[in-house]
């Protein structure tokens, strides 16, 4: 489940939930099960009394459709403030409705919340890369990624030519996966509306078992283009079109190309922000990796238990070549539709984003809806223990499969719109202990965007111990969970590991950040 559905109602047709709710309720109205959930996950119930959250929009940087914050401010009649460090993002009053505004109708602005923008920037998408978006619908992040995959950040329309062709930089692809066909339809519509479908494909599948590697057909196309560029080097140098390919609009008729004339130019992040999010193998980074790997190995050694060989087989082995059934795309352009779907390490993805299904408790407006919908529905949908247990299993499965499909050295971003420790820090702690140093956290730029961050939560000790196969000890707590206690040396290692997760991950919440609640972790696959 992509948290984009909280702030793209104008594009997806769903009920508006992002922005400031016009009403709140007494904390006494919260159901007992939810209060218990908040207490167990160390969530302050006071976040649901916040009534002045802003909403966020993304300005379209296309030179034909650009609009300045000042012009948008004059049109909407409300203050519009650029978000420092997040190119093209602006904040405005949460009460503002955009659907019928001229700027929205003309495609000059897009409804997209801050959390989605930060998650995409954390990927540090570069032209030529292949990106996998697990739980991609309804598609705001997918569209932003698609734009970043071209050299200029968008696909240009040459309106002066009789063929009305699209100029495309063939550099990389984005693959979106979601289990809901209805939500995938919304995702497809967004791609078409913003003319980004030529480098994107969609699959309806379970994100925990999806196994289609990045498209190999694009390699043949790129080689053909590069060969053409060499033979036309003189003319290319003159008109600046090196590396570009004209695609006649007719080649996309079968994909249902939209008649909407608006184009999406997502634009790349500024150099400073890209440097903030991008982490190379510097001496400091290597030292951090070595320290984390050593800590994990020492933790694992407490019980004499290691499953390094088993994990390497499951998550890093080459998938069987030969006879296999191809998964038919839910949507793909002609250039990607008939991809042979090769299965080997060579075709794993450069970057993977896992915006996992969660309880959505970080969205005030989402929780407030149950005042009118009924708390019985809320309990059935989110608070039953069976539902919570299955949800955490799903989140672990999504992250593990994202890791499996990422090439060595690649990046995985894990995010939720929950404030629950169990769905965030505990998932990351469990995952890292399973990886035994083959996946490490990378730092995120806290406060770099001028927005205060919330404190991350200390991962559950018993989760870490259980993942490592360490013996549990001590009396159970009020929730019946048995704790873990070790020697003084073991306790020190455990605390250091917990501190490491708290330091590297990122949290925003309504009270500390004046945003919706969300969690973010950036992981590098070492091997």
């Amino acid at each position: 489940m992509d948290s984009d559905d909280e702030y793209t109602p104008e594009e997806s047709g769903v009920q508006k939930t992002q922005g400031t709710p016009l009403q709140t309720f007494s904390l006494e109205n919260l159901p007992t099960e939810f209060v218990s959930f908040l207490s167990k996950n160390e969530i302050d119930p006071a976040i649901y009394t916040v009534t002045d959250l802003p909403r966020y929009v993304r300005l379209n940087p296309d030179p034909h459709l650009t609009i300045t914050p000042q012009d948008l401010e004059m049109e909407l009649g409300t203050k519009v403030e650029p978000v420092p460090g997040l190119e093209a993002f602006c904040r405005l009053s949460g009460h503002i409705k955009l659907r019928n505004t001229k700027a929205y109708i003309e495609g000059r602005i897009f409804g997209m919340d801050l959390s989605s923008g930060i998650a995409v920037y954390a990927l540090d998408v570069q032209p030529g890369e292949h990106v996998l978006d697990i739980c991609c619908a309804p598609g705001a992040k997918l569209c932003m990624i698609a734009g970043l995959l071209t050299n200029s950040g968008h696909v240009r329309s040459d309106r002066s030519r009789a063929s009305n062709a699209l100029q495309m930089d063939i550099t990389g692809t984005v693959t979106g996966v979601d289990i809901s066909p209805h939500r995938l339809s919304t995702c497809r519509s967004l791609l078409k509306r913003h003319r980004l479908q030529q480098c994107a494909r969609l699959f309806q599948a379970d994100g925990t078992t999806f196994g289609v590697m990045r498209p190999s057909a694009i390699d043949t196309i790129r080689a053909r283009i590069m060969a053409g560029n060499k033979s036309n080097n003189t003319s290319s140098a003159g008109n600046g079109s090196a590396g570009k390919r004209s695609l006649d609009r007719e080649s996309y008729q079968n994909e249902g190309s939209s008649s909407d004339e608006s184009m999406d130019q997502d634009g790349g992040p500024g150099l400073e922000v890209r440097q903030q999010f991008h982490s190379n193998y510097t001496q400091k980074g290597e030292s951090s990796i070595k320290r984390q790997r050593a800590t994990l190995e020492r933790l694992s050694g407490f019980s004499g238990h290691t499953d390094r060989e088993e994990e390497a087989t499951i998550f890093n082995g080459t998938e069987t070549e030969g006879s296999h059934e191809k998964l038919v795309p839910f949507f793909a352009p002609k250039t990607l539709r008939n991809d042979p779907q090769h299965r080997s390490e060579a075709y794993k993805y450069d970057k993977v984003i896992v915006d996992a299904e969660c309880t959505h408790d970080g969205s005030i407006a989402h929780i407030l809806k149950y005042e009118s919908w009924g708390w019985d529905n809320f309990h059935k949908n989110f608070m039953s223990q069976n539902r919570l247990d299955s949800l955490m299993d799903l989140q672990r499965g999504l992250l593990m499969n994202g890791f499996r499909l990422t090439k060595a050295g690649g990046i995985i971003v894990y995010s939720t719109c929950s404030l629950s420790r169990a769905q965030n820090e505990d998932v990351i702690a469990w995952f890292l202990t399973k990886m035994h140093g083959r996946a490490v956290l990378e730092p995120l730029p806290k406060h770099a965007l001028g927005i205060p961050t919330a404190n991350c939560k200390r991962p559950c000790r018993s989760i870490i111990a259980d993942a490592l196969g360490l013996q549990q000890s001590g009396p159970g707590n009020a929730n019946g969970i048995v704790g873990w206690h070790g020697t003084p040396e073991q306790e020190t290692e455990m605390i250091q590991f917990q501190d490491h997760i708290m330091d590297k991950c990122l949290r925003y919440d309504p009270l500390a950040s004046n945003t919706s609640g969300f969690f973010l972790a950036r992981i590098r696959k070492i091997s």
Side-chain angles (χ1 to χ4, degrees), residues 25-134:
F25 54 81
S26 169
L27 295 179
E28 297 178 357
N29 292 347
L30 293 174
T32 303
E33 296 89 346
F34 189 45
V35 172
S36 175
F37 168 83
L38 297 177
S39 174
K40 183 178 179 179
N41 286 279
E42 303 172 5
I43 301 173
D44 187 350
I47 68 169
Y48 302 108
T49 65
V50 177
T51 59
D52 58 351
L53 288 184
R55 70 165 301 160
Y56 293 86
V57 296
R58 193 158 182 270
L59 307 183
N60 191 339
D62 188 317
H64 301 292
L65 295 170
T66 187
I67 185 171
T68 66
Q70 294 76 17
D71 290 340
L72 182 60
E73 188 171 288
M74 290 183 61
E75 179 180 336
L76 299 180
T78 188
K79 190 173 183 180
V80 175
E81 300 177 295
V83 178
L86 274 183
E87 183 180 347
F89 275 85
C90 292
R91 71 170 63 87
L92 54 151
S93 169
H95 300 294
I96 296 297
K97 298 184 183 299
L98 301 175
R99 185 175 182 82
N100 296 320
T101 64
K102 180 180 178 183
Y104 173 78
I105 293 172
E106 292 179 350
R108 299 181 184 275
I109 57 175
F110 311 104
M112 186 174 182
D113 197 39
L114 191 69
S115 58
S116 283
I118 293 175
V120 172
Y121 278 100
L123 279 175
D124 189 33
V125 176
Q126 301 292 323
E129 292 182 329
H130 299 277
V131 182
L132 175 63
D133 186 351
I134 297 179

Side-chain angles (χ1 to χ4, degrees), residues 288-442:
S288 177
I289 289 170
K290 290 177 181 177
R291 286 195 301 272
Q292 184 177 159
R293 182 175 291 182
T295 299
L296 287 167
E297 288 176 347
R298 285 195 295 270
L299 277 171
S300 150
F302 295 158
S303 64
H305 172 76
T306 175
D307 53 359
R308 181 188 298 272
E309 268 185 34
E310 176 186 353
E311 292 294 334
T313 300
I314 294 174
F315 298 108
N316 286 303
T318 300
E319 294 192 78
T320 304
E321 291 281 357
S323 177
H324 67 274
E325 292 185 5
K326 287 177 57 177
L327 184 61
V328 178
F330 181 90
F331 164 81
K334 284 184 177 180
T335 50
L336 303 178
R337 186 189 309 154
N338 298 316
D339 185 83
Q341 297 183 9
H342 291 313
R343 298 184 177 184
S344 73
E345 293 284 336
Y347 295 103
K348 290 191 173 182
Y349 295 88
D350 299 288
K351 308 281 176 68
V352 175
I353 185 167
V354 179
D355 189 16
E357 166 72 271
C358 66
T359 50
H360 303 288
D361 54 85
S363 168
I364 296 176
H366 184 83
I367 299 301
L368 288 179
K369 288 188 297 185
Y370 286 92
E371 274 285 271
S372 56
W373 290 1
W375 290 111
D376 288 343
N377 290 325
F378 181 70
H379 175 76
K380 183 175 96 172
N381 293 337
F382 297 105
M383 289 296 105
S384 70
Q385 192 57 51
N386 288 339
R387 166 64 173 158
L388 290 174
D389 290 343
S390 64
L391 190 58
M392 285 180 282
D393 287 341
L394 172 63
Q395 291 159 346
R396 291 176 177 183
L398 292 170
L399 183 53
M400 280 294 197
N401 198 39
F403 176 84
R404 180 179 71 88
L405 295 170
T406 306
K407 72 178 186 181
I411 293 293
I412 306 103
V413 167
Y414 175 83
S415 63
T416 76
C417 58
S418 171
L419 295 173
S420 159
R421 180 186 65 188
Q423 298 172 63
N424 296 318
E425 288 90 351
D426 284 356
V427 170
I428 297 300
W430 176 89
F431 170 77
L432 291 176
T433 54
K434 286 295 186 183
M435 292 299 100
H436 298 293
R438 292 181 294 110
V440 297
L441 288 176
E442 292 198 330

